[in-house]
Amino acid sequence: MTQRFYMGVRTAVRPLVSLVWNPRITGLENVPREGGFIIASNHLSNIDSFVIPVAFPRQIRFVAKKSLWTQKGLKGRILTWFFTAVDAVPVDREALSSGKGALQSAQVILREGAGFGIYPEGSRSRDGKLHPGKQGAAWLALESGRPIIPVGLKGTQELMKLKLPERGAVTVRIGAPIDFSDLDPAASKGKKRRLMTARIMDEIQALSGQQRSDVPTSSARSEF
């Protein structure tokens, strides 16, 4: 039921998004046709979790703090509709902060054959730079055996401003599944995660063209 709702909303919203923003989407051929997969993207705006599902031909799910479903007023109703539409998974703040609850939910999503979206930086970049990545995406790939698809977003930070950006200013670049076959199979899981995370961030940077920062995102509680 939720997937039918998700795809129905996506079908209805995508023409409007194309008309208003005309996003440039490249690399759709890199999206697996079946089975679960992990989307690892840079994070420039709160609206990224809306742009990515609209851009992808398959369902992409995220986790979000449960309190976003309980806010009051018009904003609360809009948030409830949005997170229901994208079939987001509510996770309580404590579990989300620790990362454990989010990763457990992610494994369920991957086993069900959907795409799972994760922002390795941990929180949106407030200065537009690409910040160091955390190891959640690498952990998921190791534990699930699912491929990681890197994504580079450009221009989404402008979508939250009052003035609409020029058409074509938003870009979604989808990379090929990241190849980790050269990693030493005898290496510890910790070393593998570190090497994988470094490669993930390199791939995202190549797609997004962002300047790198050595400083972690200051407000990051989790990667979701």
Side-chain angles (χ1 to χ4, degrees):
M1 176 64 180
T2 52
Q3 185 172 4
R4 288 199 299 271
F5 180 53
Y6 172 99
M7 297 308 292
V9 170
R10 180 184 178 278
T11 300
V13 169
R14 192 171 190 185
L16 178 61
V17 172
S18 297
L19 177 65
V20 177
W21 297 329
N22 189 28
R24 298 169 181 168
I25 304 171
T26 61
L28 288 174
E29 69 277 5
N30 294 318
V31 181
R33 295 189 176 184
E34 59 183 18
F37 59 100
I38 302 160
I39 293 296
S41 174
N42 61 326
H43 194 15
L44 298 170
S45 168
N46 291 328
I47 207 168
D48 293 343
S49 298
F50 176 80
V51 172
I52 290 175
V54 169
F56 273 71
R58 291 189 56 198
Q59 184 178 18
I60 310 296
R61 300 178 68 188
F62 295 85
V63 298
K65 55 187 179 182
K66 189 181 297 184
S67 61
L68 291 172
W69 274 262
T70 59
Q71 295 190 31
K72 298 180 180 180
L74 177 60
K75 179 181 178 181
R77 290 195 293 272
I78 292 174
L79 286 173
T80 298
W81 175 86
F82 167 72
F83 286 108
T84 302
V86 298
D87 203 10
V89 178
V91 177
D92 66 71
R93 181 180 293 274
E94 183 177 349
L96 192 60
S97 296
S98 69
K100 294 180 181 179
L103 291 172
Q104 290 170 354
S105 297
Q107 287 184 299
V108 173
I109 291 170
L110 294 172
R111 285 197 295 268
E112 291 176 348
F116 178 76
I118 183 170
Y119 301 116
E121 291 171 274
S123 182
R124 66 185 176 90
S125 172
R126 298 179 184 276
D127 58 11
K129 296 180 181 180
L130 186 67
H131 295 263
K134 299 179 184 294
Q135 297 182 13
W139 186 92
L140 274 178
L142 283 174
E143 296 299 318
S144 68
R146 302 299 185 180
I148 294 180
I149 311 297
V151 170
L153 300 174
K154 293 183 180 180
T156 57
Q157 69 272 30
E158 300 297 325
L159 301 183
M160 297 301 290
K161 297 180 180 179
L162 292 177
K163 183 179 179 181
L164 289 176
E166 296 180 4
R167 298 181 76 239
V170 176
T171 301
V172 182
R173 300 185 66 189
I174 305 168
I178 301 176
D179 182 11
F180 299 110
S181 61
D182 60 326
L183 295 182
D184 182 1
S188 67
K189 285 189 175 181
K191 182 176 181 179
K192 287 179 180 178
R193 289 195 300 269
R194 290 191 295 273
L195 292 172
M196 290 170 70
T197 299
R199 189 167 301 177
I200 290 167
M201 301 312 294
D202 286 344
E203 293 287 339
I204 292 175
Q205 194 279 329
L207 292 166
S208 70
Q210 289 169 280
Q211 181 180 345
R212 301 289 285 265
S213 171
D214 295 329
V215 181
T217 49
S218 59
S219 61
R221 289 178 174 268
S222 74
E223 295 146 277
F224 309 92

